[in-house]
Amino acid sequence: MEDDRDIAQRLGEGLAEAGFSVEYAFNGPDGLALGTDDSFDAAVLDLGLPQMQGLDVLKEWRRKNRNFPVLILTARGTWSEKVDGLNAGADDYITKPFHLPEVAARLKALIRRSAGQASSVLTHGRLTLDITTGKATYDGAPIELTASELRMLNYFMHRIGRIVSQSELTEHLYATVDSRESNTIEVYVSRLRRKTSTDLIKTIRGLGYRMD
Amino acid sequence: MEDDRDIAQRLGEGLAEAGFSVEYAFNGPDGLALGTDDSFDAAVLDLGLPQMQGLDVLKEWRRKNRNFPVLILTARGTWSEKVDGLNAGADDYITKPFHLPEVAARLKALIRRSAGQASSVLTHGRLTLDITTGKATYDGAPIELTASELRMLNYFMHRIGRIVSQSELTEHLYATVDSRESNTIEVYVSRLRRKTSTDLIKTIRGLGYRMD
DNA sequence: GGCGGCCATCAGGATATTGCTGGTGGAGGA
DNA sequence: TCCTCCACCAGCAATATCCTGATGGCCGCC
């Protein structure tokens, strides 16, 4: 997003070369619209967009809980803008004239960091699981999961198509190795099935379970 | 405040020339002591102070409601530190090697701004929080919050929708890692709920809390 | 030095989760 | 087809977890 299309062009091409997928907006309202998609990994924001203050765009994003990282571009010497930008919810800033590799590097760092924090949602079929918010949905409807169920479901969703043995599950969920004395695992599988669908987790008799 | 006395010397002299009145601390505890005076316009904090993490000093200041602006000095390339710093309550950061005029300029900007009471107010649903004035409203009605409650609420409001574990809260609020000896966190959550609404903060048993 | 408010902690009670049991159903082998 | 054994599930008691009123101590302010 840039006020000067040439700069934007150059920046966009550079970032594309660095492996990013880029979209542009040349004014505030367009930027707002783009941001509402919430499908971005990060945004580069030039302060001083026409028609709307760049900071206002940022504030509006944050107000709408768009939490992708934002890198601010500012002209050299406008300190207050930078500080205001950080306070408005920006994650980093960089001064013009900028070096492309630096922008790319910072963007990568921001994205890497936000990946550690941002809600990373796993999707499989009609099932959805966000481990950071603890929310899961099946067919779009939210389902309530307890902590243990959540852990187990998470484990399964990271092992789609693989057979997961009972002992493996016990080990992962409890860090203890009970041999066959209780059927706790079976019970939890049962609960997961009840809350989602009977055929979500298939049982492989004598070997374990598999989700696919 | 500097880990390298030469750098500190140079920085201090430069700032003095620029019209600032400067005091030093060369380690964490001294820095803490200095900060408790609350008679400063601003502080320059070097991450990586001996004996105590620079960020802990900052957190401790903020815990005591010392709200002077803080400018962080960090080595080049440690992005996570910077971002963590901003999250911990710093107002700006600058990378080494730094140019004296730049530091001075940023400091001035920070001080000017802090004098001007730029109020950044967070809004979420019927809840409103102005971190600079410490005022909060619920349904438009003002609610009285103590310093700790305020910091906790602030933390929650920056993590809407995310599960926040008790240990995470303890760590952020106190900079120490108490394992389960007291139920302080529970008590504060309870108080926040009483002052706002019972269902403002949802408890996820075994995992933590979530505000959404 | 006295006072007020904030803070941390305790203890008792409330609640959801956990792990188990026992009875039932069904798969797979002989 | 029948039999055996494994898996399933509803319900239950035990328990970890959480909530909240009360209390004493500390700190800062007057």
Side-chain angles (χ1 to χ4, degrees), chain B residues 19-196:
Chain B
F20 292 97
S21 158
V22 183
E23 294 192 50
Y24 305 88
F26 292 103
N27 55 49
D30 285 2
L32 264 186
L34 262 186
T36 49
D37 275 3
D38 203 14
S39 59
F40 289 88
D41 289 330
V44 179
L45 182 68
D46 193 312
L47 294 191
L49 288 172
Q51 291 185 40
M52 188 183 288
Q53 288 295 336
L55 280 188
D56 289 339
V57 175
L58 173 55
K59 283 182 190 165
E60 190 62 17
W61 281 343
R62 294 309 191 210
R63 199 180 71 76
K64 292 187 177 170
N65 276 335
R66 310 301 177 204
N67 288 321
F68 44 78
V70 170
L71 173 61
I72 284 185
L73 280 184
T74 115
R76 185 145 195 82
T78 56
W79 298 111
S80 57
E81 264 192 350
K82 293 176 203 167
V83 177
D84 289 349
L86 292 174
N87 286 331
D91 298 272
D92 199 359
Y93 60 79
I94 207 166
T95 51
K96 293 187 276 192
F98 53 83
H99 295 292
L100 260 175
E102 189 176 351
V103 178
R106 293 211 192 186
L107 266 183
K108 274 185 195 157
L110 285 178
I111 292 169
R112 186 168 358 103
R113 177 181 156 269
S114 92
Q117 293 288 346
S119 74
S120 61
V121 31
L122 293 168
T123 304
H124 182 251
R126 32 176 68 171
L127 184 65
T128 272
L129 174 63
D130 189 330
I131 207 60
T132 60
T133 66
K135 281 175 183 166
T137 66
Y138 189 75
D139 269 341
I143 50 184
E144 296 289 331
L145 293 178
T146 72
S148 307
E149 292 162 0
L150 210 138
R151 280 163 23 84
M152 180 182 251
L153 182 57
N154 184 43
Y155 194 75
F156 270 116
M157 290 193 73
H158 277 101
R159 264 147 257 256
I160 299 287
R162 290 240 279 282
I163 291 184
V164 179
S165 72
Q166 288 210 12
S167 56
E168 190 182 340
L169 283 169
T170 336
E171 206 167 327
H172 177 259
L173 289 169
Y174 304 103
T176 62
V177 188
D178 285 327
S179 58
R180 178 141 195 94
E181 292 184 4
S182 76
N183 61 349
T184 313
I185 296 300
E186 298 162 19
V187 171
Y188 275 100
V189 169
S190 167
R191 287 187 185 146
L192 277 184
R193 285 208 257 242
R194 193 190 325 166
K195 290 188 178 180
T196 59

Side-chain angles (χ1 to χ4, degrees), chain A residues 47-90:
Chain A
L47 294 191
L49 289 172
Q51 293 184 42
M52 189 183 287
Q53 288 296 333
L55 280 189
D56 290 338
V57 175
L58 174 55
K59 282 179 190 164
E60 190 61 16
W61 282 342
R62 294 310 191 211
R63 202 182 64 75
K64 291 185 177 171
N65 280 335
R66 309 300 177 205
N67 289 320
F68 46 76
V70 171
L71 172 62
I72 284 186
L73 281 183
T74 115
R76 185 146 196 81
T78 55
W79 302 111
S80 59
E81 264 192 350
K82 292 177 204 168
V83 175
D84 290 349
L86 292 173
N87 286 329

Side-chain angles (χ1 to χ4, degrees), chain A:
Chain A
M1 218 166 318
E2 277 292 325
D3 54 350
D4 183 342
R5 299 204 175 205
D6 285 344
I7 296 185
Q9 188 83 7
R10 184 165 72 89
L11 180 61
E13 283 171 5
L15 291 180
E17 262 180 37
F20 293 98
S21 161
V22 183
E23 294 192 49
Y24 305 88
F26 293 103
N27 54 48
D30 284 1
L32 263 186
L34 262 187
T36 49
D37 274 3
D38 204 13
S39 60
F40 289 89
D41 289 332
V44 179
L45 182 67
D46 193 312
L47 294 191
L49 289 172
Q51 293 184 42
M52 189 183 287
Q53 288 296 333
L55 280 189
D56 290 338
V57 175
L58 174 55
K59 282 179 190 164
E60 190 61 16
W61 282 342
R62 294 310 191 211
R63 202 182 64 75
K64 291 185 177 171
N65 280 335
R66 309 300 177 205
N67 289 320
F68 46 76
V70 171
L71 172 62
I72 284 186
L73 281 183
T74 115
R76 185 146 196 81
T78 55
W79 302 111
S80 59
E81 264 192 350
K82 292 177 204 168
V83 175
D84 290 349
L86 292 173
N87 286 329
D91 298 271
D92 199 359
Y93 60 78
I94 206 165
T95 52
K96 292 187 278 193
F98 54 83
H99 296 292
L100 260 175
E102 189 176 351
V103 177
R106 293 210 191 187
L107 265 184
K108 273 186 196 154
L110 284 179
I111 291 171
R112 184 165 2 100
R113 175 182 161 269
S114 92
Q117 290 205 352
S119 57
S120 60
V121 27
L122 294 168
T123 305
H124 181 249
R126 32 176 70 172
L127 185 64
T128 270
L129 173 63
D130 189 331
I131 205 64
T132 62
T133 66
K135 284 177 181 167
T137 66
Y138 188 75
D139 268 342
I143 51 185
E144 296 287 332
L145 293 178
T146 71
S148 307
E149 291 163 0
L150 219 138
R151 277 203 304 272
M152 181 181 251
L153 183 56
N154 186 44
Y155 193 76
F156 271 116
M157 290 194 74
H158 279 292
R159 266 146 257 259
I160 300 286
R162 289 234 290 279
I163 292 184
V164 179
S165 72
Q166 288 210 11
S167 57
E168 190 182 342
L169 283 169
T170 327
E171 206 167 332
H172 177 256
L173 291 175
Y174 303 102
T176 62
V177 189
D178 286 327
S179 59
R180 170 116 207 117
E181 292 187 4
S182 78
N183 62 348
T184 311
I185 296 300
E186 298 167 14
V187 171
Y188 274 99
V189 169
S190 162
R191 284 180 184 154
L192 277 184
R193 286 207 255 244
R194 193 191 326 165
K195 290 188 177 181
T196 59
S197 155
T198 323
D199 50 356
L200 178 82
I201 298 170
K202 193 177 176 185
T203 122
I204 318 286
R205 240 180 145 73
L207 290 178
Y209 300 90
R210 188 180 60 202
M211 187 171 151
D212 45 12

